[in-house]
Amino acid sequence: MMKLETISAETIKPATPTPSELKTFKLSLLDQLAPPIYVPLILFYSNIDLYPNLENPKMDALLDFLPFDSNNVGLDEELAITAIQVNYFKCGSIAIGVCISHKIADRTTLVTFLSAWSRKAKATGEIIIPHLASTSIFPARDVNTAMPDDVITKEKIVTKRFIFNAQNLALLRAKISFANPTRYETVTSFIWKSAKAASRDSSSSMTAHAVNLRGRVSRRMHDNSLGNIWWFAVTTPMVTTEGERKVGGIHDCYVFSSWASFPFYEIDFGWGNPIWVYTTMCGILVSTESGDVIEAWVTLAEQHMAAFE
């Protein structure tokens, strides 16, 4: 078992007093509906000398992403909005772990934040300016945001990684009836079918796919818009009876989210691109460094995982 030792810890606070009009950060409707969890990410870098970067960190980039009092965003004050951990390995490699509260950020916000920070650290590339406009498009409402008790299963679950290389994807695509399925459609269809078969449950199931709404809403939103700007697209099986098509009774829901098109492998703080990007969220599809392989992180009930494999 790997032994971990904490070297130091620091809390980052705004360098200047928070303006009175920004003392309280207004959540959008989608922020309100976001689950009270963290969006996690770990970036692995090989054989680097990190000390020069840590001795003079360029933290001013963070101020553009924290234009409000961090204790007034409707969150538990004991919880950090963003937590970053740097892990050193004896071989000279490091892993940077990042967790950002899902109440104020989605995966696009996370990659925007890390891209802006890395460009600032290198002093190269176009400076990324975040946009805070989601509350004007999705204004907050008086809604019940309590998470239902049955959302988090009480079953013992297992998460495993499955690799789909170019050859695997080509073979799966050949088995799909409609023309030119995307990599995402190919992998999620296969996982859905296999997971359902592993459950040995004859009832119908559905899938929910997290969709980035930037560029899809009626009012144009900037790609660097921060916050939760996503929602689920749901697919359900259709049952045909006597010439009529209708949705069958739903028992299970499989949730998917693709991070494959996001430039996580381009996050370079000055010592090169990461050699591996990893997240602990379930139902996630991540592209590898080469871009032609899909990693699928699948979470199922323990008794179903063996059959799924």
Side-chain angles (χ1 to χ4, degrees):
M1 182 179 294
M2 184 179 297
K3 183 180 179 181
L4 300 178
E5 178 185 357
T6 301
I7 299 175
S8 64
E10 182 179 355
T11 299
I12 305 299
K13 296 182 178 180
T16 57
T18 303
S20 58
E21 68 273 15
L22 297 176
K23 281 288 185 180
T24 301
F25 180 68
K26 296 180 180 179
L27 299 178
S28 71
L29 173 61
L30 297 182
D31 291 331
Q32 290 178 289
L33 297 175
I37 61 174
Y38 282 95
V39 181
L41 186 73
I42 304 177
L43 304 156
F44 291 85
Y45 296 88
S46 177
N47 298 319
I48 65 171
D49 182 8
L50 190 61
Y51 288 100
N53 300 82
L54 293 181
E55 288 174 357
N56 298 289
K58 298 179 180 179
M59 302 300 293
D60 55 321
L62 293 178
L63 300 181
D64 292 332
F65 290 80
L66 193 65
F68 49 81
D69 188 334
S70 60
N71 289 328
N72 287 285
V73 291
L75 304 176
D76 187 333
E77 293 187 9
E78 297 299 320
L79 300 177
I81 293 175
T82 302
I84 300 170
Q85 178 174 305
V86 181
N87 306 275
Y88 303 89
F89 300 101
K90 289 185 178 180
C91 64
S93 300
I94 69 165
I96 299 178
V98 182
C99 282
I100 189 167
S101 172
H102 212 329
K103 276 296 181 183
I104 64 166
D106 57 11
R107 64 191 173 191
T108 304
T109 300
L110 176 59
V111 74
T112 299
F113 165 65
L114 291 174
S115 297
W117 190 6
S118 63
R119 291 185 189 184
K120 193 77 171 182
K122 287 184 64 178
T124 60
E126 182 182 353
I127 298 299
I128 296 176
I129 304 298
H131 291 253
L132 295 166
S134 61
T135 53
S136 63
I137 300 174
F138 304 104
R141 298 181 184 178
D142 184 13
V143 294
N144 180 12
T145 59
M147 183 176 290
D149 294 335
D150 58 352
V151 169
I152 300 178
T153 180
K154 294 180 174 59
E155 291 184 289
K156 188 173 183 180
I157 59 175
V158 176
T159 299
K160 292 194 176 184
R161 180 180 65 148
F162 297 89
I163 304 298
F164 295 85
N165 58 30
Q167 183 179 6
N168 298 145
L169 292 171
L171 291 173
L172 289 175
R173 276 175 168 163
K175 297 179 180 180
I176 296 178
S177 57
F178 62 89
N180 300 320
T182 65
R183 294 190 304 171
Y184 179 79
E185 291 169 337
T186 300
V187 174
T188 55
S189 297
F190 176 72
I191 292 175
W192 182 14
K193 179 181 179 180
S194 301
K196 188 59 183 174
S199 71
R200 297 183 175 87
D201 188 339
S202 59
S203 63
S204 296
S205 63
M206 60 183 286
T207 62
H209 306 262
V211 177
N212 182 9
L213 299 181
R214 296 165 181 83
R216 289 183 169 90
V217 294
S218 57
R219 178 174 173 179
R220 177 173 172 76
M221 297 192 71
H222 198 281
D223 289 340
N224 295 335
S225 296
L226 304 188
N228 286 285
I229 309 173
W230 65 277
W231 201 243
F232 289 114
V234 176
T235 57
T236 58
M238 302 299 294
V239 178
T240 302
T241 57
E242 297 180 358
E244 295 184 357
R245 291 169 60 85
K246 61 181 180 179
V247 177
I250 303 299
H251 184 265
D252 294 319
C253 178
Y254 299 93
V255 180
F256 295 97
S257 180
S258 176
W259 293 28
S261 62
F262 289 82
F264 289 110
Y265 280 95
E266 298 174 15
I267 298 173
D268 177 7
F269 290 92
W271 51 76
N273 296 334
I275 59 172
W276 188 39
V277 176
Y278 162 77
T279 180
T280 57
M281 296 187 75
C282 60
I284 297 292
L285 274 62
V286 183
S287 182
T288 60
E289 184 180 14
S290 63
D292 59 353
V293 176
I294 293 293
E295 294 182 357
W297 294 87
V298 180
T299 300
L300 295 173
E302 184 179 43
Q303 67 269 27
H304 298 159
M305 182 59 79
F308 178 83
E309 291 183 287

